[in-house]
């Protein structure tokens, strides 16, 4: 019994320490954004890596999600003869929820892992130490540009995902389910409010920041050779994915609970 | 002579990792414009000593003075400025593998914004020539180089900004004997021509006598002998004698390192 209590205590202490370290790390990374120099080159590289090279993955995810949504909601709503709602269900689910979350999860797997591996390797091969002996602050050089790039790139990706997701639904609805094309589009646009899209993009910015933060944090603190880097990579993806889902709830609560 | 302030003065430096005591009261003076060779068994804490001076490892106790200024007790920005004037060759090279060789070499110069990128590229070519590498090597990535070439690029990077103190962690390990002699010559040249102060760790006695003005041996976390490098081979100290002549029998018994 006491053992159990001790274990629970240790785990909560570890969780607190982790949260504290992560918060300090994130704040310090952000504070470096405010003080010059800013490494544009590193920022550009990170933006390309997170945004541009994730396009195919996010695009495919979005299209298929839109298609499935149309199909599923049609079979569901047909039972109540409410097929007309398909368009609005697709567009609202994609912009408010599925676009940001699925893009976030895909990018967490792709980019979060790559970041943790790259920075982790730099850590265990002394490259991060070498940076500070060459008049370069590693937080400023490695972390700050990636945090900013994450928060900017993911909303851009989600804009693409929103469009493609709606398109996927449109394709299925009109070509397979026999909806009138103009009617479907009109229904889509009629139900869409600017806040739906904006809240989705705001979520995406937070998720992008979380992905970059976890990748950098785990990589930066990795220890002990290839194995340590591997562990950091896994931890970055797992933690980022969980945090994305948790923050998704929190942000939804903030935006839509009145 | 007695009035001269040591370039680097270390007193009572201690560092443990867990319950493993690595540095146990190191005292060391390095006079300006001289070079000091540090020898000692594998795992005796030589690399840790250099990293403590560079601020990459936080020592547990002791005093580290650079130009008479205590870097452990001064303001962080001042300590960083004092340490920015130290060039470091890491034992494993620690080259930035995401950057081409020339950018590695010119990294410090670019970071200090002393020159633009085009001039940096040219300058990198000149420095590479000093370590016996063609300017065309500058276009390669570090992963495309042999181990010895990586070491020389790392050396080029450490001396590129002409720092007034230079640390070399095993500069000639992994080089052929002729190249080793060339690199030794280069280090001596930096001290004589640029007026730098050098601290070199080496296991190579020929190299130690070529580079060193002074020498010190570290054993069991303490400096057990220091004197002129020319006296290394007949120091009269039984431990040093055994070490420099590579004898199996003597006061130093091979112990299993923890
Ligand atoms: N970051 C660290 N964490 C824990 N232990 C460490 C760390 N760095 C070094 N050590 C330990 O400190 C001791 C000294 O290491 P150091 O790298 O300074 O040896 P060295 O004298 O440079 O040896 P070599 O000649 O083989 O390079 C070793 O026992 C090593 O295990
Ligand atoms: Mg070493």
């Amino acid at each position: 019994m006491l053992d159990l209590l001790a274990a629970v205590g240790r785990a909560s202490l570890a969780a607190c320490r982790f949260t504290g370290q992560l918060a300090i790390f994130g704040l310090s990374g952000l504070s470096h954004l405010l003080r010059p120099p800013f490494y544009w080159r590193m920022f550009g590289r990170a933006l390309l890596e997170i945004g541009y090279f994730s396009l195919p993955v996010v695009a495919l995810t979005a299209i298929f999600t839109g298609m499935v949504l149309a199909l599923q909601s049609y079979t569901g709503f047909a039972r109540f003869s409410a097929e007309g709602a398909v368009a609005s269900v697709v567009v609202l689910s994609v912009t408010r929820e599925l676009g940001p979350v699925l893009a976030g999860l895909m990018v967490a797997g792709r980019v979060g892992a790559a970041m943790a591996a790259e920075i982790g390797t730099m850590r265990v091969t002394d490259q991060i130490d070498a940076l500070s002996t060459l008049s370069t602050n590693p937080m400023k050089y490695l972390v700050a540009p990636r945090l900013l790039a994450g928060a900017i790139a993911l909303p851009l990706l989600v804009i693409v995902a929103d469009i493609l997701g709606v398109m996927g639904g449109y394709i299925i609805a009109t070509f397979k389910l026999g909806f009138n094309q103009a009617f479907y589009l009109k229904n889509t646009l009629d139900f869409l409010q600017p806040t739906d899209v904006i809240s989705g993009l705001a979520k995406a910015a937070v998720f992008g920041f979380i992905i970059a933060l976890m990748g950098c944090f785990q990589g930066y603190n990795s220890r002990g050779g290839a194995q340590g880097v591997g562990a950091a990579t896994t931890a970055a993806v797992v933690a980022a994915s969980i945090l994305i889902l948790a923050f998704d709830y929190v942000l939804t609560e903030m935006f839509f609970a009145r | 002579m007695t009035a001269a302030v040591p370039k680097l003065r270390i007193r009572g430096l201690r560092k443990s990792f867990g319950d493993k005591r690595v540095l146990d009261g190191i005292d060391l003076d390095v006079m300006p414009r001289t070079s000091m060779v540090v020898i000692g068994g594998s795992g005796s804490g030589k690399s840790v000593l250099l990293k403590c001076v560079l601020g990459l490892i936080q020592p547990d106790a002791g005093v580290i003075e650079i130009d008479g200024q205590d870097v452990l007790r001064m303001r962080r920005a001042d300590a960083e400025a004092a340490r920015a004037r130290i060039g470091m060759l890491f034992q494993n090279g620690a080259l930035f593998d995401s950057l081409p060789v020339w950018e590695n070499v010119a990294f410090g110069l670019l970071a200090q914004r002393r020159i633009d990128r085009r001039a940096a590229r040219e300058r990198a070519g000149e420095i590479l020539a000093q370590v016996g590498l063609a300017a065309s090597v500058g276009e390669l990535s570090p992963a495309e180089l042999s181990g010895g070439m990586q070491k020389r690029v790392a050396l080029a990077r450490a001396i590129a900004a002409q720092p007034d103190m230079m640390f070399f962690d095993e500069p000639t390990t992994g080089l052929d004997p002729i190249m080793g002699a060339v690199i030794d010559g280069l280090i001596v040249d930096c001290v004589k021509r640029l007026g730098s102060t050098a601290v070199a760790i080496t296991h190579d006695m020929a190299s130690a006598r070529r580079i060193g003005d002074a020498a010190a041996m570290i054993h069991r976390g303490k400096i057990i002998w220091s004197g002129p490098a020319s006296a290394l081979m007949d120091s009269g100290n039984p431990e040093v004698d055994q070490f420099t002549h590579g004898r199996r029998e003597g006061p130093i018994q091979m112990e299993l390192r923890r």
Side-chain angles (χ1 to χ4, degrees):
Chain A
M1 188 63 204
L2 273 179
D3 279 358
L4 185 69
L5 274 182
V8 170
R10 260 196 302 276
S12 2
L13 278 181
C16 288
R17 193 173 320 121
F18 175 83
T19 315
Q21 284 171 346
L22 185 64
I24 291 172
F25 187 86
L27 288 178
S28 138
L30 283 179
S31 76
H32 280 290
L33 285 175
L34 306 175
R35 284 171 287 155
F38 182 73
Y39 294 96
W40 289 102
R41 198 173 283 275
M42 299 303 286
F43 173 70
R45 247 190 62 189
L47 206 56
L48 213 62
E49 178 61 37
I50 305 172
Y52 186 70
F53 291 118
S54 300
L55 264 178
V57 181
V58 170
L60 286 173
T61 312
I63 290 181
F64 285 121
T65 308
M67 287 163 65
V68 169
L69 264 180
L71 216 50
Q72 286 281 25
S73 49
Y74 180 80
T75 39
F77 288 136
R79 292 178 198 161
F80 314 104
S81 318
E83 295 92 338
V86 169
S88 53
V89 166
V90 169
V91 71
L92 289 187
S93 332
V94 166
T95 52
R96 284 163 67 147
E97 201 55 41
L98 294 175
V101 171
L102 291 180
L105 292 178
M106 296 312 280
V107 172
R110 220 189 73 83
V111 178
M115 267 184 199
E118 184 181 351
I119 296 181
T121 306
M122 292 187 74
R123 165 61 74 196
V124 300
T125 56
D126 287 342
Q127 291 179 52
I128 293 186
D129 284 349
L131 277 177
S132 34
T133 68
L134 292 165
S135 321
T136 304
N137 186 316
M139 287 296 286
K140 212 186 261 305
Y141 182 79
L142 294 174
V143 177
R146 281 177 167 86
L147 294 181
L148 186 64
I152 292 178
L154 207 61
L156 297 179
L157 279 173
V158 166
I159 293 179
V160 177
D162 285 352
I163 294 170
L164 291 179
V166 169
M167 209 181 79
Y170 170 82
I171 290 172
I172 290 299
T174 55
F175 291 105
K176 191 168 154 54
L177 305 175
F179 277 77
N180 176 287
Q181 302 186 351
F183 172 74
Y184 187 91
L185 276 185
K186 183 175 176 310
N187 249 346
T188 299
L189 294 176
D190 277 354
F191 276 97
L192 193 61
Q193 304 273 321
T195 50
D196 298 325
V197 178
I198 292 170
S199 69
L201 297 184
K203 279 182 180 178
V206 175
F207 298 166
F209 181 81
I210 289 175
I211 293 168
L213 178 65
M214 290 317 302
C216 293
F217 178 75
Q218 296 291 352
Y220 207 85
N221 291 309
S222 60
R223 292 276 175 275
Q227 202 185 1
V229 175
T233 309
T234 314
V237 177
V238 172
S241 307
I242 293 175
L243 281 179
I244 283 175
L245 295 174
F247 270 82
D248 184 44
Y249 175 76
V250 174
L251 292 173
T252 308
E253 183 88 36
M254 268 171 56
F255 287 134
F256 299 110
R258 298 275 141 82
Chain B
M1 188 67 208
T2 49
V5 179
K7 183 79 192 168
L8 174 65
R9 180 170 173 273
I10 299 175
R11 286 293 174 273
L13 194 68
R14 283 168 206 284
K15 177 68 194 176
S16 305
F17 293 103
D19 59 357
K20 182 167 65 183
R21 206 174 289 164
V22 176
L23 302 180
D24 190 15
I26 295 276
D27 299 326
L28 191 68
D29 285 332
V30 183
M31 300 313 285
R33 295 162 181 270
T34 64
S35 55
M36 157 76 71
V37 172
V38 178
I39 61 173
S42 191
S44 57
K46 305 180 295 297
S47 300
V48 170
L49 173 64
L50 293 192
K51 287 183 179 174
C52 283
V53 178
L54 287 165
L56 304 174
I57 292 179
Q58 190 64 38
D60 301 331
V63 177
I64 298 174
E65 287 178 3
I66 297 174
D67 291 321
Q69 308 268 319
D70 186 347
V71 287
L72 295 177
R73 279 163 200 84
M74 61 171 69
R75 291 210 339 264
R76 189 140 122 224
D78 295 336
E80 269 172 26
R83 283 159 167 160
R85 287 180 287 127
I86 307 178
M88 170 77 178
L89 165 67
F90 286 85
Q91 187 165 3
N92 60 9
L95 294 176
F96 305 128
D97 37 32
S98 57
L99 299 177
V101 165
W102 77 265
E103 219 173 322
N104 265 283
V105 174
F107 196 94
L109 297 172
L110 286 168
Q112 294 171 6
R113 297 173 189 266
R114 285 209 230 156
I115 48 178
D116 61 26
R117 289 178 71 81
R118 181 210 290 262
R121 212 179 182 118
E122 254 169 49
R123 183 84 188 98
E126 293 165 25
I127 303 166
L128 282 172
Q130 287 181 15
V131 295
L133 294 171
S136 60
V137 172
E139 306 306 318
L140 302 177
S141 92
E144 295 173 282
L145 306 181
S146 78
M149 289 164 91
Q150 289 182 4
K151 194 104 206 186
R152 284 186 275 161
V153 172
L155 181 76
R157 183 177 72 181
I159 63 175
Q162 309 193 334
D164 55 24
M165 188 153 45
M166 304 177 181
F167 290 172
F168 304 102
D169 199 342
E170 307 196 6
T172 55
T173 307
L175 301 182
D176 65 70
I178 300 174
M179 193 41 74
V182 170
I183 296 301
D184 288 343
L186 187 67
I187 293 174
V188 172
D189 204 45
C190 285
V191 175
K192 295 283 171 293
R193 199 163 44 83
L194 302 176
S196 303
T197 306
V199 179
I201 292 173
T202 184
H203 289 300
D204 176 354
M205 290 310 130
S207 168
R209 273 170 299 152
R210 275 198 298 259
I211 305 175
D213 298 314
M217 173 152 168
I218 180 170
H219 179 56
R220 295 201 168 169
K222 292 196 167 65
I223 300 285
I224 55 163
W225 178 85
S226 61
S230 51
L232 263 178
M233 299 308 283
D234 45 4
S235 59
N237 179 305
E239 278 96 354
V240 179
D241 265 0
Q242 184 195 351
F243 191 84
T244 54
H245 292 95
R247 292 195 204 99
R248 204 134 59 100
E249 289 80 30
I252 306 179
Q253 293 300 314
M254 195 186 85
E255 36 192 289
L256 297 179
R257 299 222 58 99
R258 287 188 298 132

